[in-house]
């Protein structure tokens, strides 16, 4: 009995010590952690080149009222080769929509995340062709990582809705219609007709490549597949349930949802 009592006492002390440590860590984190991240942005990163005006103009803020239907944010790091096909596809789709819906207005913001190649020159060539009202390049002088690049792009846009799209063109741009349909079901309004109402709603539509998983399994190594499944399990366990492909680089936000999400983004990588 004495041995059992001793073991039970040790276990009790261990549990108490663990709870105490957890409380101390929680209190320390609460005291030293700021609710919103400190966003690093250099003065040179607050402007874009306007070839028509032949000068630098200041980007707007996500906290201002929307004045377009759609903003497309494209983070790009050394993407001089993959960026043109993606932009060509996107602009063809958007320009076709403008012809069918003359009131539809859009912009594409290419965020060069400290690129060392000709990404900025490629993006600004599209600005020359389509004008800075439709295509802008946000040149980051220091690499932030994908999360940081997307955040700064989002914080510099004008759209009632905001699409984040990868520069590699992994998602077909025409699939935007699927995201738009899903978003419309959530907010019960069409952002092309009622941009102000759509802007003030809170909703996100996330693309998915889950249906392509069997194909990708055949091309990945066993080790990478193990890592993938492990990562998906941890995401499901600790964060998001019900979203099959959280990492898909094709997400559509209302302006209010983007403002809320990205002002709280602490991890930039």
């Amino acid at each position: 009995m004495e041995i059992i009592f001793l073991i039970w006492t040790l276990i009790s002390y261990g549990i108490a010590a663990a709870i105490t440590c957890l409380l101390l860590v929680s209190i320390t984190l609460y005291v030293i952690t700021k609710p919103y991240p400190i966003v690093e942005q250099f003065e040179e990163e607050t402007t874009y080149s306007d070839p028509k005006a032949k000068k630098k103009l200041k980007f707007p803020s996500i906290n201002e009222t929307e004045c377009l239907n759609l903003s497309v944010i494209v983070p790009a790091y050394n993407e001089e080769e993959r960026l043109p096909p993606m932009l060509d596809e996107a602009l063809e789709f958007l320009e076709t929509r403008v012809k069918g819906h003359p009131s539809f207005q859009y912009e594409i913001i290419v965020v060069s995340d400290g690129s060392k190649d000709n990404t900025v020159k490629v993006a600004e060539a599209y600005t020359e062709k389509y004008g800075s009202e439709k295509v802008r390049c946000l040149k980051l002088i220091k690499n932030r990582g994908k999360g940081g690049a997307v955040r700064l792009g989002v914080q510099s846009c004008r759209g009632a809705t905001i699409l984040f799209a990868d520069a590699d063109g992994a998602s077909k741009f025409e699939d935007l219609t699927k995201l738009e349909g899903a978003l419309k079901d959530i907010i019960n309004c069409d952002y092309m007709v009622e941009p102000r109402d759509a802007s003030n709603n809170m909703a996100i539509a996330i693309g998915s490549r889950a249906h392509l998983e069997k194909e990708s399994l055949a091309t990945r190594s066993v080790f990478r597949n193990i890592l993938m499944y492990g990562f998906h399990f941890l995401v499901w366990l600790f964060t998001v349930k019900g979203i099959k492909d959280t990492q898909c680089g094709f997400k559509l936000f209302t302006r209010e949802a983007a403002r809320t999400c990205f002002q709280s983004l602490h991890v930039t990588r």
Side-chain angles (χ1 to χ4, degrees):
M1 286 295 293
E2 290 181 0
I3 293 174
I4 295 173
F5 178 75
L6 179 62
I7 293 172
W8 176 249
T9 302
L10 290 173
I11 291 173
S12 299
Y13 276 120
I15 293 172
I19 293 173
T20 302
C21 288
L22 181 61
L23 286 172
L24 288 173
V25 169
S26 300
I27 292 169
T28 302
L29 288 174
Y30 179 80
V31 171
I32 67 174
T33 302
K34 295 183 181 299
Y36 298 111
I38 298 172
V39 180
E40 181 183 41
Q41 187 172 23
F42 300 96
E43 183 63 29
E44 301 94 317
E45 299 170 345
T46 62
T47 59
Y48 63 93
S49 294
D50 186 333
K52 189 175 181 180
K54 295 184 178 179
K55 62 180 181 180
K56 296 276 190 178
L57 299 178
K58 201 166 187 66
F59 276 108
S61 166
I62 185 71
N63 294 315
E64 297 173 18
T65 304
E66 87 294 331
C67 58
L68 303 175
N69 298 90
L70 175 69
S71 292
V72 182
I73 310 301
V74 184
Y77 177 69
N78 294 342
E79 293 286 5
E80 64 177 354
E81 294 183 2
R82 295 195 295 183
L83 188 58
M86 184 272 171
L87 289 179
D88 289 339
E89 181 185 357
L91 285 161
E92 181 182 1
F93 177 90
L94 294 169
E95 286 295 297
T96 300
R97 172 170 285 184
V98 170
K99 291 176 183 177
H101 304 273
S103 63
F104 177 76
Q105 293 180 293
Y106 72 88
E107 69 175 349
I108 296 177
I109 300 178
V110 177
V111 186
S112 174
D113 189 18
S115 298
K116 295 177 172 59
D117 64 355
N118 292 315
T119 296
V120 172
K121 287 184 179 179
V122 169
E124 290 186 342
Y126 282 86
T127 305
E128 288 270 0
K129 182 177 180 180
Y130 290 91
S132 63
E133 281 299 301
K134 291 185 175 179
V135 182
R136 295 177 177 180
C137 180
L138 170 52
K139 181 183 177 182
L140 304 186
I141 62 176
K142 176 183 174 183
N143 180 268
R144 304 294 209 286
K146 189 174 183 179
V150 174
R151 172 171 60 191
L152 290 174
V154 167
Q155 291 178 339
S156 305
C157 75
R158 298 172 287 162
T161 56
I162 301 164
L163 175 70
F164 149 48
D166 279 344
D168 60 5
S171 299
K172 292 181 180 179
F173 200 85
E174 63 185 22
D175 285 342
L176 170 61
T177 56
K178 297 178 182 178
L179 295 186
E180 290 171 336
L183 198 73
K184 186 177 179 180
D185 289 342
I186 300 171
I187 63 178
N188 295 315
C189 71
D190 186 346
Y191 82 93
M192 291 175 59
V193 179
E194 304 168 288
R196 181 62 50 82
D197 289 343
S199 174
N200 293 330
N201 267 282
M202 187 79 77
I204 306 171
I206 299 176
S208 176
R209 302 155 300 182
H211 60 292
L212 302 173
E213 191 170 291
K214 289 183 179 179
E215 295 176 21
S216 62
L217 285 175
T219 58
R220 291 197 190 102
S221 67
V222 174
F223 181 67
R224 284 197 65 190
N225 285 329
I226 292 172
L227 288 177
M228 180 191 72
Y229 281 122
F231 174 77
H232 286 176
F233 174 73
L234 291 174
V235 168
W236 175 86
L237 182 64
F238 293 113
T239 56
V240 183
K241 294 177 175 65
I243 301 298
K244 291 183 178 180
D245 187 6
T246 59
Q247 304 308 296
C248 181
F250 206 61
K251 298 178 173 72
L252 185 63
F253 301 79
T254 61
R255 191 173 184 84
E256 184 61 28
R259 183 187 293 115
T260 300
C261 289
F262 286 96
Q263 76 173 356
S264 305
L265 181 67
H266 287 258
V267 179
T268 59
R269 295 285 158 182

